Amino acid sequence: MDALAGLLEGPRARGAFMIRACFDPPWSVRVEDRAPLTVMLVVRGDAWVLPDAGGKTLLRAGDLAIARGPDPYTCADDPGTAPQALILPGGECSYPDGRPLNGSMDLGVRTWGDTLDGGTVVLIGTYLWPGEVGGRLLDALPPLLTLTSDTWDCPLTPLLTEEIVRDEPGQEVVLDRLLDLLVIAALRAWFSRPEAETPAWYRAMADPVVGRVLRLIQDDPAHPWTVAALAAKAGVSRAALARRFGELVGEPPMSYLTAWRLALAADALRDTGDTLEAIARRVGYGSAFALSGAFKRVYGVSPQEHRVRGREDVGGVRA
């Protein structure tokens, strides 16, 4: 598994919130949904994205932005336009003063705004639950990343534009997969830029020593790795590996191995019905008891609690 594949295999939408937003100026929407990841693809017109943390970005037709939650932000025709609507967790909408919108801005199937023929049209896809994206990917992203139409050409735009307003059996699944593909295509383009702010472990993949060790860990996490064994495979001393790995990745090899194993276990708990014992063996723990103890120390909940929460999230139970 290459580094980028390992990072991007995470996005798996389940009943994602998808909408086609249509507006004429002046317009402004405040987003406080705490979603882990939201994609905004401008089909027509312009839109400003204004994170609370500072900075602002103007998107034009063909541009794409990915906002990493849970911090709030505002989208508007102009930075000075006051918000007219508030987006809350679960896709709930209200006026800024808290009064419910009660569908007053609904324009049809997955279409929302003030006019169907709006000068600005934005396709929006939101992952509602953190488990749908993966912590490693979220940690690798800035609060807001953008791709302009002159740096990438998204082949999915026409298909997503057509599919987002269709109302047919299985349509949610179709849109979920299209959203996953859109995110993967966008992130692959973003990470390929020389100036991309990639995580330390990702940059370390280019190092002949540390990169080999990272690939060994990622490809075979169940192996009983030690620093000595990894150093031997990389052709360096234990001390040299520990020093170089720490400098490039920011943590010791065994700490990275533990985090990788637990991340794989978390995904398996959410996505499969496998027993804890089977998952433990697959990711490199000698028993379910050993995995459970390590998992709770890092994630703050037991593996069973993590599995239950993941199922509730998919079912839309949790707010």
Side-chain angles (χ1 to χ4, degrees):
M1 179 186 296
D2 66 71
L4 188 58
L7 195 64
L8 298 185
E9 60 90 26
R12 291 182 293 275
R14 295 175 176 86
F17 180 71
M18 299 282 292
I19 203 163
R20 178 176 178 262
C22 308
F23 293 101
D24 268 336
W27 63 271
S28 179
V29 178
R30 171 80 173 166
V31 182
E32 296 181 0
D33 60 3
R34 301 190 62 80
L37 206 70
T38 297
V39 185
M40 293 163 276
L41 178 60
V42 180
V43 176
R44 184 166 69 232
D46 300 336
W48 284 92
V49 183
L50 311 160
D52 278 17
K56 54 188 177 182
T57 299
L58 175 61
L59 303 178
R60 301 189 184 279
D63 295 352
L64 175 142
I66 296 180
R68 187 198 71 198
D71 294 340
Y73 55 93
T74 300
C75 294
D77 70 303
D78 184 89
T81 303
Q84 300 152 347
L86 178 64
I87 309 300
L88 299 168
E92 294 295 324
C93 304
S94 72
Y95 291 104
D97 62 7
R99 290 177 297 122
L101 278 168
N102 293 328
S104 62
M105 297 182 71
D106 291 347
L107 299 174
V109 177
R110 299 185 193 88
T111 303
W112 185 82
D114 55 25
T115 175
L116 278 173
D117 298 322
T120 297
V121 176
V122 184
L123 306 183
I124 301 169
T126 299
Y127 290 83
L128 299 176
W129 314 113
E132 296 177 315
V133 184
R136 292 176 67 250
L137 176 56
L138 292 176
D139 291 343
L141 301 179
L144 182 70
L145 70 86
T146 59
L147 289 170
T148 58
S149 59
D150 59 348
T151 60
W152 85 308
D153 181 20
C154 179
L156 296 170
T157 302
L159 182 58
L160 187 57
T161 301
E162 178 182 342
E163 292 290 340
I164 201 169
V165 294
R166 297 182 71 175
D167 188 16
E168 297 185 7
Q171 194 64 19
E172 281 194 359
V173 177
V174 171
L175 292 173
D176 283 347
R177 298 294 74 80
L178 284 175
L179 178 59
D180 291 342
L181 288 172
L182 178 63
V183 169
I184 291 170
L187 293 179
R188 185 168 62 180
W190 187 78
F191 276 116
S192 69
R193 301 172 310 132
E195 69 274 21
E197 298 177 2
T198 53
W201 65 262
Y202 183 88
R203 296 191 298 272
M205 281 288 186
D207 184 82
V209 172
V210 177
R212 175 162 173 72
V213 170
L214 286 169
R215 283 187 286 273
L216 288 168
I217 290 173
Q218 292 183 0
D219 290 345
D220 192 6
H223 187 83
W225 294 113
T226 63
V227 176
L230 291 168
K233 289 282 189 179
V236 297
S237 69
R238 291 175 56 188
L241 173 60
R243 181 178 61 254
R244 195 161 179 170
F245 198 99
E247 290 173 351
L248 295 180
V249 181
E251 62 181 325
M254 292 298 98
S255 295
Y256 180 87
L257 173 61
T258 297
W260 179 250
R261 285 171 169 171
L262 292 178
L264 293 175
D267 286 347
L269 287 164
R270 186 190 67 230
D271 297 333
T272 75
D274 296 346
T275 65
L276 186 59
E277 188 72 29
I279 293 172
R281 301 288 183 184
R282 190 159 67 243
V283 302
Y285 282 87
S287 66
F289 179 79
L291 172 58
S292 182
F295 194 94
K296 191 164 187 177
R297 282 194 300 273
V298 172
Y299 284 85
V301 297
S302 70
Q304 181 61 26
E305 288 172 313
H306 176 82
R307 170 169 274 172
V308 170
R309 289 183 181 183
R311 290 173 177 171
E312 289 177 345
D313 286 351
V314 172
V317 174
R318 301 184 72 208

